[in-house]
Amino acid sequence: MAIAVAAVAGGFALSALLPSYYVFLGSSAVVAAISLLGLGVVTGSAGMIALCQLSFAVIGAWVVSQLHFVHAPGNGVLWMITGGVVAGLVGLLVGLPALRLRGVNLAVVTLGFAAAVHLTITTIQFPGATTGIRVLKPEPFITDRSFFVLSVIVLVVLALAVWALQASRVGSGWRAVAFSERGTASAGASVSFSKLTAFAVSATLAGVSGGLVTLQVGFASPATFTPLQSLALYVLAIVSGTYPRHPSSDLADQPRRDSARSAPSWKAASGCGSRRDRCTTGAGAYVRGRPR
């Protein structure tokens, strides 16, 4: 909470001290950080390669544009939350193939979904794009400086929510699935639940970021959410450290090596004597590698 308060205070200070152009760029960076936060969940925690993060952002942007076009009740903040919820529901559907796929196969499926969404949104366009209707920023965040503060607040709130999920049993399920799906299932945890929740949370964060992009610029364009941009975002996530070291790395294996050193030898555990080729009791009832 102290870091969160300091981040919001820093956002207020930067909005007042930086030139207007850099404040606008700062808002774009904060919006990108929200999408990276979603990748940190699905890829960094759950260990799934998802290359359609900006496709969920398209859904959030489209919902915000549509709600503004039909003059829905509420303001941009409420529409942004609605776009995140809708994107999360779509993320549940996209996460269904992840129950049977992993690795490169899942990456190909998510990249195909990104291409399909981009083709669809290019064909139908965003609501109000052809008539030139701009999406207005919500009160009291109508200026670029105040909107930067809003973006920082949204990022901090979502980061706290992700932190709480990571510290809960849901986050433990994500890390367990990333380490071993079979081990997670053998421990009695639901692999399907962990994968689907990871996709849903990641898609929700992306949908919120897409809604913020629409509010910041005033309109949404399909060129902002191309599959190539999703690939670039994934690379940025890896470079910036969102993707953790593989569980089989040296640091991850260190506890297992330590426990192996402290464990009794195979002969003591199986009831064998000093001769390795003959065991006569318990689990070690083998003679020269063949069961008795």
Side-chain angles (χ1 to χ4, degrees):
M1 293 301 299
I3 296 176
V5 173
V8 174
F12 274 105
L14 291 176
S15 66
L17 298 177
L18 290 178
S20 300
Y21 176 70
Y22 291 104
V23 170
F24 182 85
L25 293 182
S27 300
S28 301
V30 172
V31 171
I34 295 176
S35 293
L36 288 174
L37 189 64
L39 272 178
V41 172
V42 70
T43 299
S45 297
M48 294 181 290
I49 303 177
L51 303 180
C52 59
Q53 190 70 358
L54 291 186
S55 300
F56 300 126
V58 166
I59 298 172
W62 194 91
V63 170
V64 170
S65 301
Q66 179 66 24
L67 292 178
H68 179 268
F69 183 74
V70 299
H71 303 288
N75 55 16
V77 176
L78 180 60
W79 301 341
M80 176 190 64
I81 296 174
T82 305
V85 172
V86 174
L89 295 177
V90 177
L92 285 176
L93 299 177
V94 178
L96 292 177
L99 302 180
R100 295 293 182 181
L101 300 176
R102 60 182 61 88
V104 178
N105 296 327
L106 179 59
V108 171
V109 170
T110 54
L111 186 60
F113 172 75
V117 170
H118 178 67
L119 179 61
T120 302
I121 205 67
T122 303
T123 303
I124 66 176
Q125 287 297 325
F126 286 92
T130 56
T131 57
I133 298 178
R134 295 179 60 88
V135 180
L136 302 179
K137 294 184 178 69
E139 294 282 353
F141 307 103
I142 57 176
T143 64
D144 288 338
R145 296 185 183 275
S146 58
F147 186 81
F148 175 76
V149 176
L150 172 65
S151 302
V152 172
I153 293 175
V154 172
L155 174 60
V156 170
V157 171
L158 294 178
L160 287 175
V162 171
W163 177 83
L165 287 174
Q166 294 279 12
S168 66
R169 303 185 70 174
V170 176
S172 299
W174 295 342
R175 293 187 293 272
V177 166
F179 186 80
S180 174
E181 293 186 16
R182 293 182 179 178
T184 304
S186 64
S190 175
V191 176
S192 301
F193 176 80
S194 298
K195 285 189 171 185
L196 290 178
T197 52
F199 260 100
V201 172
S202 176
T204 301
L205 295 175
V208 171
S209 68
L212 281 175
V213 169
T214 305
L215 294 175
Q216 179 190 10
V217 182
F219 61 90
S221 172
T224 310
F225 309 100
T226 62
L228 185 60
Q229 295 292 339
S230 293
L231 286 173
L233 190 69
Y234 184 84
V235 173
L236 179 61
I238 296 177
V239 173
S240 61
T242 300
Y243 197 93
R245 298 187 63 180
H246 194 272
S248 61
S249 63
D250 294 336
L251 292 178
D253 278 343
Q254 187 64 38
R256 287 184 288 178
R257 289 200 298 267
D258 294 341
S259 62
R261 293 192 190 101
S262 61
S265 65
W266 70 275
K267 289 186 289 186
S270 59
C272 299
S274 59
R275 293 184 59 186
R276 188 180 181 88
D277 60 345
R278 185 177 183 86
C279 300
T280 58
T281 61
Y286 287 81
V287 176
R288 298 188 183 279
R290 292 177 297 178
R292 294 184 61 182

